[in-house]
Amino acid sequence: MAGKAVEKRRPEVDPRDEPSAAWGWHGSFPKATRIAGWVSAIILLVMIKGNHENNTENVWLVGLAAFLVLLLVLDIRKQRTAWRK
C-alpha cells in the first residue's frame, strides 16, 4: 500500500531505485548543509594562523574558503529566486 501512495505523490521516484522513498522520506538536509558550509569556511580562515613556513598553505586555505563562500552565496541566490521558475 505504501508503494502506491509514494507513486501517486512522486511519480519520478521509483522505490526500487530509492529505498528511502518506500517509507516516505526522499530529500536532504539543506539547512544543516548550509550551516556546515559556513562553519567550514570560517574554520579554513582561522587555520591561516599557524606555523607556516611560506604562504602556499595560506593561498590554498583562502582559496578554498572563498570557493565555499561563493557556493553558499549562489545557493542563497538560487533559493531566493526559486519561486520565479
Side-chain angles (χ1 to χ4, degrees):
M1 293 184 103
K4 291 180 182 180
V6 170
E7 289 176 9
K8 288 180 183 177
R9 284 185 292 164
R10 295 187 178 224
E12 71 274 359
V13 177
D14 187 8
R16 291 172 291 184
D17 295 333
E18 304 287 338
S20 60
W23 48 273
W25 183 80
H26 186 75
S28 62
F29 303 102
K31 188 174 182 180
T33 304
R34 289 183 196 108
I35 292 170
W38 286 110
V39 169
S40 298
I42 291 169
I43 289 172
L44 285 171
L45 292 174
V46 169
M47 286 178 16
I48 290 174
K49 182 173 173 25
N51 59 352
H52 303 155
E53 295 288 327
N54 55 19
N55 287 330
T56 305
E57 296 91 349
N58 294 341
V59 170
W60 277 98
L61 290 171
V62 171
L64 289 172
F67 181 68
L68 275 174
V69 168
L70 174 71
L71 290 177
L72 289 165
V73 168
L74 289 175
D75 183 54
I76 290 171
R77 182 177 175 200
K78 183 178 81 169
Q79 181 184 6
R80 287 185 181 174
T81 60
W83 62 273
R84 296 180 188 171
K85 295 180 181 179

XYZ file of all heavy atoms in Angstrom:
678
model
N 0.807 -1.185 0.000
C 0.000 0.000 0.000
C 0.858 1.260 0.000
O 0.520 2.229 -0.641
C -0.939 0.021 1.197
C -2.007 -1.035 1.164
S -3.104 -0.819 2.546
C -4.473 -0.080 1.732
N 1.935 1.243 0.761
C 2.783 2.441 0.822
C 3.422 2.716 -0.531
O 3.627 3.857 -0.901
C 3.867 2.272 1.881
N 3.707 1.675 -1.287
C 4.306 1.870 -2.602
C 3.394 2.626 -3.545
O 3.823 3.478 -4.298
N 2.083 2.331 -3.507
C 1.130 3.037 -4.369
C 0.986 4.495 -3.960
O 0.871 5.375 -4.801
C -0.220 2.332 -4.338
C -0.207 0.986 -5.007
C -1.556 0.332 -4.965
C -1.507 -1.044 -5.608
N -2.800 -1.709 -5.580
N 1.003 4.761 -2.656
C 0.886 6.150 -2.189
C 2.110 6.955 -2.599
O 1.997 8.116 -2.986
C 0.715 6.186 -0.674
N 3.278 6.340 -2.542
C 4.507 7.033 -2.940
C 4.478 7.304 -4.431
O 4.868 8.384 -4.879
C 5.747 6.201 -2.553
C 7.003 6.785 -3.168
C 5.885 6.138 -1.042
N 3.983 6.358 -5.209
C 3.909 6.556 -6.648
C 2.963 7.689 -7.007
O 3.207 8.428 -7.950
C 3.470 5.259 -7.337
C 4.542 4.190 -7.321
C 4.049 2.890 -7.915
O 2.942 2.870 -8.494
O 4.766 1.888 -7.805
N 1.896 7.859 -6.259
C 0.956 8.943 -6.523
C 1.582 10.302 -6.209
O 1.389 11.264 -6.923
C -0.318 8.765 -5.700
C -1.184 7.643 -6.185
C -2.423 7.519 -5.333
C -3.267 6.348 -5.776
N -4.437 6.160 -4.918
N 2.339 10.375 -5.118
C 2.936 11.649 -4.731
C 4.129 12.008 -5.597
O 4.275 13.139 -6.007
C 3.389 11.602 -3.271
C 2.246 11.703 -2.293
C 2.773 11.779 -0.904
N 3.386 10.487 -0.597
C 4.204 10.258 0.395
N 4.534 11.217 1.190
N 4.711 9.072 0.599
N 4.995 11.072 -5.865
C 6.222 11.325 -6.612
C 6.387 10.286 -7.716
O 7.051 9.278 -7.518
C 7.434 11.281 -5.694
C 7.407 12.379 -4.669
C 8.691 12.387 -3.921
N 8.663 13.474 -2.975
C 9.656 14.278 -2.769
N 10.767 14.115 -3.408
N 9.567 15.246 -1.899
N 5.814 10.543 -8.853
C 5.903 9.542 -9.914
C 7.320 9.394 -10.469
O 7.640 8.385 -11.067
C 4.936 10.060 -10.978
C 4.815 11.516 -10.708
C 5.016 11.686 -9.234
N 8.193 10.394 -10.285
C 9.541 10.307 -10.832
C 10.483 9.468 -9.963
O 11.579 9.155 -10.377
C 10.130 11.712 -11.020
C 10.483 12.442 -9.741
C 9.334 13.198 -9.124
O 8.227 13.202 -9.659
O 9.553 13.791 -8.056
N 10.066 9.120 -8.742
C 10.910 8.350 -7.837
C 10.430 6.904 -7.832
O 9.280 6.618 -7.510
C 10.857 8.922 -6.410
C 11.688 8.069 -5.476
C 11.356 10.346 -6.404
N 11.313 6.003 -8.192
C 10.992 4.580 -8.180
C 11.497 3.984 -6.862
O 12.685 4.063 -6.567
C 11.661 3.891 -9.368
C 11.227 2.450 -9.501
O 10.299 2.029 -8.785
O 11.824 1.736 -10.331
N 10.630 3.392 -6.056
C 11.074 2.825 -4.775
C 12.140 1.746 -4.921
O 12.903 1.515 -3.991
C 9.789 2.241 -4.173
C 8.687 2.978 -4.824
C 9.187 3.327 -6.204
N 12.220 1.105 -6.070
C 13.279 0.113 -6.267
C 14.641 0.778 -6.409
O 15.651 0.214 -6.000
C 12.982 -0.743 -7.484
C 11.777 -1.667 -7.264
C 11.416 -2.347 -8.532
N 10.874 -1.307 -9.422
C 10.365 -1.512 -10.618
N 10.344 -2.730 -11.105
N 9.892 -0.525 -11.334
N 14.666 1.983 -6.982
C 15.925 2.702 -7.134
C 16.288 3.486 -5.874
O 17.460 3.650 -5.554
C 15.851 3.679 -8.314
C 15.698 2.965 -9.637
O 16.156 1.802 -9.733
O 15.131 3.568 -10.563
N 15.288 3.996 -5.197
C 15.478 4.796 -3.990
C 14.740 4.124 -2.841
O 13.554 4.373 -2.641
C 14.933 6.219 -4.198
C 15.530 6.945 -5.367
C 16.959 7.370 -5.105
O 17.351 7.473 -3.926
O 17.676 7.593 -6.082
N 15.403 3.294 -2.045
C 14.696 2.587 -0.971
C 14.059 3.513 0.054
O 13.050 3.174 0.643
C 15.792 1.742 -0.323
C 16.887 1.680 -1.303
C 16.791 2.911 -2.148
N 14.612 4.702 0.256
C 14.036 5.605 1.251
C 12.675 6.128 0.821
O 11.893 6.578 1.656
C 14.982 6.778 1.490
O 15.187 7.498 0.293
N 12.364 6.095 -0.454
C 11.064 6.565 -0.918
C 9.936 5.649 -0.439
O 8.800 6.081 -0.323
C 11.053 6.658 -2.442
N 10.239 4.405 -0.137
C 9.217 3.464 0.303
C 8.633 3.862 1.652
O 7.467 3.620 1.919
C 9.793 2.050 0.380
N 9.417 4.492 2.516
C 8.894 4.902 3.812
C 8.684 6.406 3.911
O 8.527 6.964 4.988
C 9.738 4.374 4.963
C 11.218 4.550 4.874
C 12.101 3.718 4.267
C 11.989 5.631 5.416
N 13.372 4.204 4.389
C 13.333 5.373 5.090
C 11.686 6.777 6.123
C 14.353 6.229 5.459
C 12.712 7.628 6.495
C 14.019 7.345 6.166
N 8.675 7.099 2.774
C 8.194 8.464 2.742
C 9.236 9.563 2.788
O 8.907 10.723 2.661
N 10.495 9.235 3.006
C 11.497 10.294 3.071
C 12.380 10.211 1.845
O 12.934 9.169 1.524
C 12.372 10.172 4.311
C 13.347 11.282 4.408
C 13.102 12.536 4.868
C 14.722 11.264 4.034
N 14.219 13.292 4.812
C 15.251 12.544 4.293
C 15.557 10.309 3.505
C 16.569 12.874 4.047
C 16.867 10.638 3.255
C 17.355 11.915 3.531
N 12.481 11.339 1.143
C 13.339 11.390 -0.029
C 13.795 12.836 -0.172
O 13.154 13.631 -0.844
C 12.568 10.930 -1.279
C 13.441 10.829 -2.474
N 14.329 9.812 -2.636
C 13.584 11.632 -3.554
C 14.965 9.984 -3.781
N 14.539 11.082 -4.347
N 14.858 13.167 0.525
C 15.299 14.551 0.499
C 16.692 14.707 1.050
O 17.475 13.769 1.076
N 16.980 15.927 1.505
C 18.299 16.218 2.034
C 18.138 17.117 3.252
O 17.034 17.387 3.708
C 19.144 16.901 0.953
O 18.539 18.126 0.581
N 19.251 17.582 3.760
C 19.272 18.458 4.914
C 19.820 19.812 4.498
O 20.979 20.132 4.766
C 20.138 17.857 6.022
C 19.699 16.493 6.457
C 20.365 15.362 6.023
C 18.619 16.342 7.307
C 19.964 14.108 6.426
C 18.206 15.092 7.707
C 18.877 13.966 7.266
N 19.039 20.657 3.814
C 19.582 21.898 3.272
C 20.060 22.871 4.344
O 21.097 23.516 4.177
C 18.430 22.479 2.467
C 17.212 21.825 2.981
C 17.632 20.491 3.502
N 19.344 22.970 5.452
C 19.743 23.922 6.495
C 21.041 23.478 7.157
O 21.956 24.288 7.367
C 18.627 24.050 7.530
C 18.857 25.141 8.534
C 17.655 25.315 9.432
C 17.877 26.444 10.411
N 16.725 26.637 11.293
N 21.154 22.206 7.476
C 22.374 21.695 8.102
C 23.558 21.780 7.140
O 24.686 22.050 7.562
C 22.165 20.256 8.556
N 23.313 21.580 5.863
C 24.382 21.673 4.874
C 24.900 23.096 4.777
O 26.121 23.322 4.695
C 23.864 21.205 3.502
O 23.342 19.888 3.634
C 24.968 21.206 2.474
N 24.002 24.066 4.797
C 24.429 25.471 4.737
C 25.209 25.855 5.985
O 26.237 26.530 5.898
C 23.219 26.372 4.569
C 22.610 26.272 3.204
C 21.440 27.227 3.034
N 20.681 26.836 1.869
C 19.488 26.264 1.917
N 18.898 26.057 3.074
N 18.881 25.912 0.812
N 24.748 25.426 7.142
C 25.451 25.731 8.387
C 26.838 25.099 8.370
O 27.832 25.743 8.736
C 24.632 25.253 9.605
C 23.370 26.104 9.739
C 25.454 25.310 10.875
C 22.378 25.584 10.754
N 26.933 23.855 7.933
C 28.228 23.179 7.861
C 29.163 23.878 6.873
O 30.369 23.962 7.105
C 28.041 21.721 7.460
N 28.619 24.401 5.788
C 29.434 25.127 4.818
C 30.015 26.400 5.399
O 31.199 26.699 5.224
N 29.178 27.177 6.100
C 29.683 28.411 6.708
C 30.704 28.118 7.801
O 31.728 28.789 7.908
C 28.529 29.246 7.269
C 27.733 29.924 6.208
C 26.461 29.629 5.827
C 28.154 30.992 5.354
N 26.067 30.452 4.807
C 27.081 31.299 4.497
C 29.335 31.719 5.237
C 27.155 32.303 3.536
C 29.406 32.722 4.285
C 28.340 33.002 3.446
N 30.446 27.101 8.615
C 31.397 26.727 9.676
C 32.717 26.274 9.068
O 33.798 26.642 9.547
C 30.786 25.644 10.599
C 31.828 25.051 11.524
C 29.628 26.223 11.388
N 32.657 25.506 7.989
C 33.883 25.043 7.327
C 34.683 26.205 6.753
O 35.917 26.232 6.862
C 33.543 24.057 6.210
O 32.904 22.932 6.720
N 34.005 27.170 6.155
C 34.701 28.335 5.601
C 35.386 29.129 6.712
O 36.537 29.572 6.560
C 33.729 29.213 4.830
N 34.705 29.292 7.829
C 35.304 30.025 8.952
C 36.501 29.275 9.517
O 37.547 29.873 9.807
C 34.233 30.287 10.037
C 33.211 31.291 9.513
C 34.862 30.777 11.331
C 31.981 31.439 10.372
N 36.369 27.962 9.650
C 37.484 27.155 10.169
C 38.692 27.249 9.231
O 39.834 27.349 9.689
C 37.046 25.693 10.378
C 36.102 25.604 11.574
C 38.236 24.770 10.571
C 35.459 24.260 11.767
N 38.468 27.218 7.928
C 39.569 27.350 6.978
C 40.283 28.686 7.148
O 41.523 28.754 7.081
C 39.066 27.199 5.547
C 38.724 25.788 5.106
C 38.024 25.821 3.752
C 39.968 24.930 5.035
N 39.524 29.749 7.372
C 40.147 31.058 7.547
C 40.874 31.166 8.891
O 41.902 31.829 8.986
C 39.098 32.158 7.410
C 38.523 32.311 6.000
C 37.392 33.324 5.990
C 39.616 32.707 5.014
N 40.356 30.508 9.919
C 41.028 30.514 11.224
C 42.342 29.743 11.147
O 43.310 30.073 11.848
C 40.089 29.937 12.312
C 40.824 29.668 13.601
C 38.927 30.880 12.555
N 42.416 28.737 10.288
C 43.627 27.929 10.170
C 44.786 28.689 9.536
O 45.914 28.186 9.520
C 43.330 26.651 9.366
C 42.543 25.662 10.163
S 42.042 24.111 9.339
C 43.013 23.966 7.923
N 44.547 29.905 9.044
C 45.640 30.698 8.475
C 46.683 31.000 9.558
O 47.882 31.000 9.289
C 45.090 32.000 7.845
C 44.296 31.655 6.594
C 46.219 32.957 7.510
C 43.587 32.838 5.978
N 46.188 31.239 10.781
C 47.123 31.497 11.869
C 47.729 30.158 12.280
O 47.063 29.298 12.826
C 46.395 32.132 13.043
C 47.292 32.487 14.190
C 46.538 33.255 15.226
C 47.285 33.530 16.494
N 48.689 33.570 16.490
N 48.987 29.997 11.998
C 49.647 28.737 12.309
C 51.139 28.849 12.093
O 51.695 29.936 11.930
N 51.795 27.736 12.098
C 53.247 27.717 11.959
C 53.661 27.423 10.517
O 54.394 26.493 10.238
C 53.843 26.686 12.916
C 53.315 25.292 12.650
O 52.403 25.120 11.859
N 53.897 24.315 13.315
N 53.210 28.247 9.591
C 53.511 28.034 8.186
C 54.868 28.637 7.844
O 55.211 29.736 8.271
C 52.439 28.674 7.290
C 51.055 28.181 7.575
N 49.944 28.923 7.287
C 50.593 27.026 8.106
C 48.872 28.250 7.631
N 49.248 27.095 8.133
N 55.637 27.917 7.056
C 56.944 28.406 6.602
C 56.788 29.407 5.467
O 57.525 30.365 5.367
C 57.805 27.227 6.128
C 58.167 26.254 7.236
C 59.193 26.833 8.184
O 60.044 27.617 7.733
O 59.125 26.507 9.377
N 55.843 29.160 4.580
C 55.609 30.081 3.463
C 54.105 30.296 3.297
O 53.317 29.821 4.094
C 56.247 29.545 2.172
C 55.768 28.150 1.843
O 54.750 27.716 2.332
N 56.517 27.453 1.019
N 53.706 30.987 2.256
C 52.298 31.342 2.095
C 51.519 30.396 1.191
O 50.371 30.680 0.870
C 52.183 32.765 1.552
C 52.523 33.790 2.607
O 52.305 33.555 3.786
N 53.061 34.924 2.203
N 52.122 29.297 0.780
C 51.416 28.367 -0.091
C 50.172 27.813 0.606
O 49.095 27.732 0.000
C 52.337 27.204 -0.504
O 53.505 27.739 -1.090
C 51.644 26.279 -1.466
N 50.322 27.450 1.880
C 49.180 26.939 2.630
C 48.092 28.005 2.757
O 46.900 27.708 2.668
C 49.608 26.485 4.030
C 50.577 25.323 4.014
C 52.029 25.785 4.000
O 52.295 26.987 3.798
O 52.896 24.932 4.173
N 48.513 29.255 2.978
C 47.545 30.337 3.131
C 46.750 30.550 1.846
O 45.544 30.814 1.892
C 48.250 31.630 3.523
C 48.865 31.539 4.907
O 48.487 30.686 5.701
N 49.815 32.395 5.184
N 47.419 30.433 0.710
C 46.724 30.605 -0.568
C 45.652 29.531 -0.727
O 44.519 29.817 -1.133
C 47.734 30.573 -1.741
C 47.011 30.514 -3.074
C 48.659 31.769 -1.674
N 45.996 28.299 -0.409
C 45.022 27.217 -0.512
C 43.868 27.397 0.467
O 42.703 27.179 0.117
C 45.694 25.862 -0.269
C 46.350 25.334 -1.497
C 47.661 25.411 -1.835
C 45.691 24.656 -2.569
N 47.862 24.823 -3.047
C 46.678 24.347 -3.517
C 44.385 24.273 -2.819
C 46.375 23.681 -4.700
C 44.087 23.603 -3.983
C 45.084 23.317 -4.914
N 44.172 27.790 1.705
C 43.119 27.976 2.700
C 42.162 29.088 2.299
O 40.935 28.928 2.367
C 43.737 28.275 4.069
C 44.463 27.116 4.743
C 45.201 27.607 5.980
C 43.488 26.022 5.100
N 42.693 30.210 1.858
C 41.849 31.324 1.446
C 41.073 30.961 0.183
O 39.885 31.285 0.046
C 42.685 32.610 1.247
C 41.871 33.707 0.610
C 43.261 33.063 2.575
N 41.720 30.291 -0.756
C 41.048 29.899 -1.993
C 39.891 28.947 -1.751
O 38.802 29.119 -2.308
N 40.114 27.946 -0.907
C 39.036 27.001 -0.602
C 37.909 27.671 0.179
O 36.723 27.400 -0.068
C 39.588 25.810 0.181
C 40.460 24.849 -0.617
C 41.098 23.819 0.305
C 39.659 24.168 -1.698
N 38.263 28.549 1.111
C 37.231 29.273 1.861
C 36.425 30.170 0.927
O 35.201 30.243 1.030
C 37.863 30.083 2.986
N 37.102 30.852 0.008
C 36.406 31.719 -0.942
C 35.488 30.900 -1.855
O 34.370 31.322 -2.172
C 37.407 32.510 -1.775
N 35.942 29.720 -2.269
C 35.121 28.846 -3.103
C 33.866 28.396 -2.352
O 32.759 28.393 -2.912
C 35.947 27.646 -3.566
C 35.194 26.700 -4.462
C 34.814 27.094 -5.728
C 34.883 25.426 -4.033
C 34.113 26.226 -6.563
C 34.193 24.552 -4.854
C 33.806 24.949 -6.118
N 34.028 28.027 -1.076
C 32.870 27.633 -0.276
C 31.889 28.789 -0.110
O 30.665 28.606 -0.233
C 33.319 27.156 1.106
C 33.727 25.703 1.236
C 34.274 25.425 2.621
C 32.554 24.794 0.955
N 32.411 29.976 0.157
C 31.541 31.138 0.321
C 30.809 31.437 -0.990
O 29.618 31.759 -0.991
C 32.346 32.357 0.819
C 31.542 33.628 0.727
C 32.820 32.116 2.244
N 31.505 31.318 -2.118
C 30.874 31.534 -3.417
C 29.722 30.554 -3.626
O 28.620 30.936 -4.044
C 31.896 31.405 -4.545
C 31.327 31.472 -5.960
C 30.872 32.892 -6.262
C 32.344 31.000 -6.961
N 29.951 29.279 -3.331
C 28.890 28.284 -3.476
C 27.713 28.573 -2.547
O 26.554 28.415 -2.931
C 29.440 26.886 -3.200
C 30.403 26.313 -4.232
C 30.915 24.957 -3.778
C 29.754 26.206 -5.580
N 28.001 29.007 -1.328
C 26.926 29.312 -0.384
C 26.123 30.535 -0.828
O 24.895 30.555 -0.701
C 27.509 29.514 1.011
C 28.029 28.236 1.673
C 28.894 28.575 2.867
C 26.884 27.344 2.073
N 26.798 31.537 -1.359
C 26.090 32.728 -1.844
C 25.239 32.380 -3.063
O 24.098 32.836 -3.191
C 27.097 33.859 -2.148
C 26.448 34.988 -2.915
C 27.710 34.374 -0.861
N 25.766 31.561 -3.951
C 24.970 31.124 -5.106
C 23.759 30.310 -4.659
O 22.680 30.412 -5.256
C 25.833 30.319 -6.073
C 26.880 31.112 -6.848
C 27.746 30.163 -7.678
C 26.231 32.156 -7.723
N 23.917 29.510 -3.617
C 22.808 28.732 -3.094
C 21.740 29.651 -2.504
O 20.541 29.431 -2.703
C 23.300 27.748 -2.038
C 22.186 26.872 -1.519
O 21.505 26.236 -2.348
O 21.987 26.826 -0.292
N 22.159 30.696 -1.790
C 21.204 31.660 -1.242
C 20.462 32.356 -2.375
O 19.240 32.538 -2.331
C 21.927 32.686 -0.342
C 22.405 32.007 0.939
C 21.008 33.859 -0.010
C 23.312 32.874 1.773
N 21.190 32.728 -3.412
C 20.564 33.404 -4.556
C 19.569 32.473 -5.254
O 18.475 32.886 -5.629
C 21.642 33.859 -5.523
C 21.105 34.607 -6.697
C 22.217 35.097 -7.577
N 21.666 35.706 -8.770
C 22.327 35.876 -9.873
N 23.586 35.523 -9.939
N 21.758 36.413 -10.915
N 19.964 31.214 -5.424
C 19.077 30.243 -6.068
C 17.830 30.004 -5.222
O 16.732 29.885 -5.750
C 19.820 28.927 -6.279
C 19.006 27.873 -7.009
C 19.791 26.616 -7.229
C 19.766 25.808 -5.958
N 20.279 24.457 -6.104
N 18.007 29.987 -3.926
C 16.865 29.773 -3.029
C 15.894 30.948 -3.091
O 14.688 30.755 -3.070
C 17.377 29.594 -1.599
C 16.306 29.342 -0.585
C 16.864 29.270 0.821
O 18.028 29.521 1.062
N 16.009 28.942 1.770
N 16.403 32.159 -3.207
C 15.542 33.335 -3.258
C 14.785 33.436 -4.577
O 13.677 33.951 -4.618
C 16.357 34.598 -3.060
C 16.811 34.780 -1.648
C 17.506 36.096 -1.500
N 17.976 36.269 -0.143
C 18.706 37.270 0.259
N 19.065 38.209 -0.578
N 19.091 37.344 1.511
N 15.373 32.967 -5.652
C 14.727 33.088 -6.961
C 14.064 31.792 -7.410
O 13.645 31.697 -8.558
C 15.747 33.530 -8.025
O 16.786 32.554 -8.104
C 16.335 34.890 -7.701
N 13.941 30.817 -6.535
C 13.360 29.530 -6.919
C 11.884 29.660 -7.278
O 11.372 28.915 -8.100
C 13.541 28.519 -5.781
N 11.174 30.592 -6.671
C 9.746 30.746 -6.944
C 9.472 31.303 -8.322
O 8.367 31.189 -8.841
C 9.103 31.642 -5.895
C 9.660 33.038 -5.886
C 10.753 33.471 -5.203
C 9.173 34.159 -6.605
N 10.971 34.803 -5.458
C 10.014 35.258 -6.317
C 8.111 34.357 -7.481
C 9.821 36.507 -6.850
C 7.919 35.625 -8.013
C 8.766 36.680 -7.699
N 10.461 31.909 -8.965
C 10.265 32.506 -10.289
C 10.223 31.485 -11.398
O 9.750 31.752 -12.483
C 11.381 33.519 -10.586
C 11.358 34.688 -9.661
C 12.463 35.633 -9.998
N 12.579 36.671 -8.988
C 13.555 37.519 -8.933
N 14.524 37.489 -9.828
N 13.591 38.430 -7.995
N 10.764 30.311 -11.169
C 10.863 29.304 -12.222
C 9.584 28.558 -12.419
O 8.705 28.489 -11.696
C 12.007 28.339 -11.934
C 13.324 29.026 -11.981
C 14.433 28.065 -11.697
C 15.757 28.799 -11.716
N 16.871 27.989 -11.446
